Amino acid sequence: MITKQAINEIYRKYKKRPKSADNLNLALLFEAAHPSHSIEIIGNMLRINSIPPSSPFFELRLSTIHAIIAFEQHIAIVMHSSIIFLNRYDNGVTAHIIPIKPSLLSRLTHIFTRHALL
């Protein structure tokens, strides 16, 4: 099980992308991920066929991937504000997404709009 503390540590440790996609451990994806994920590299895109094509995580640019990490039961594909966890033993996929924080302008607008309605 991957805890929230572990996820926060992953984001902290892998803040920056590698200088090149060649520095990513792509071999780990093909060796350790379950075959039903049917992972492909097409040009500069990583395609995960166990994810529906309508999902934004179906195809990922290699240049957006910060790291690929192995855990006991998962392979993690780390990006700036999301992590995709591929199960090593079946076709299970889980994603962690950092929620977008509202900007200062939108928070102020919300405050004044709320007070205007009262």
Side-chain angles (χ1 to χ4, degrees):
M1 170 125 179
I2 299 172
T3 63
K4 183 172 181 151
Q5 182 181 3
I7 289 172
N8 290 337
E9 184 62 31
I10 291 169
Y11 283 122
R12 234 186 326 277
K13 187 174 181 180
Y14 300 102
K15 282 184 181 180
K16 297 183 180 181
R17 293 184 299 227
K19 294 181 181 181
S20 166
D22 297 333
N23 296 341
L24 293 172
N25 192 0
L26 293 172
L28 180 63
L29 281 174
F30 294 101
E31 294 169 2
H34 193 270
S36 65
H37 290 298
S38 185
I39 297 171
E40 302 174 307
I41 295 180
I42 302 169
N44 66 344
M45 301 294 282
L46 175 72
R47 180 180 288 174
I48 306 169
N49 289 306
S50 60
I51 297 176
S54 59
S55 169
F57 297 120
F58 176 66
E59 283 189 337
L60 308 169
R61 288 189 191 284
L62 291 175
S63 62
T64 63
I65 298 174
H66 290 214
I68 298 169
I69 309 166
F71 290 97
E72 186 176 324
Q73 295 185 9
H74 296 89
I75 303 295
I77 302 172
V78 183
M79 292 169 284
H80 179 263
S81 53
S82 58
I83 304 173
I84 301 171
F85 295 100
L86 303 175
N87 194 307
R88 293 177 104 170
Y89 305 110
D90 62 25
N91 66 345
V93 178
T94 308
H96 179 271
I97 302 170
I98 296 176
I100 298 173
K101 295 179 182 176
S103 68
L104 178 61
L105 180 62
S106 66
R107 288 186 296 201
L108 289 173
T109 304
H110 176 72
I111 290 170
F112 289 122
T113 304
R114 187 178 68 191
H115 288 299
L117 295 175
L118 297 176

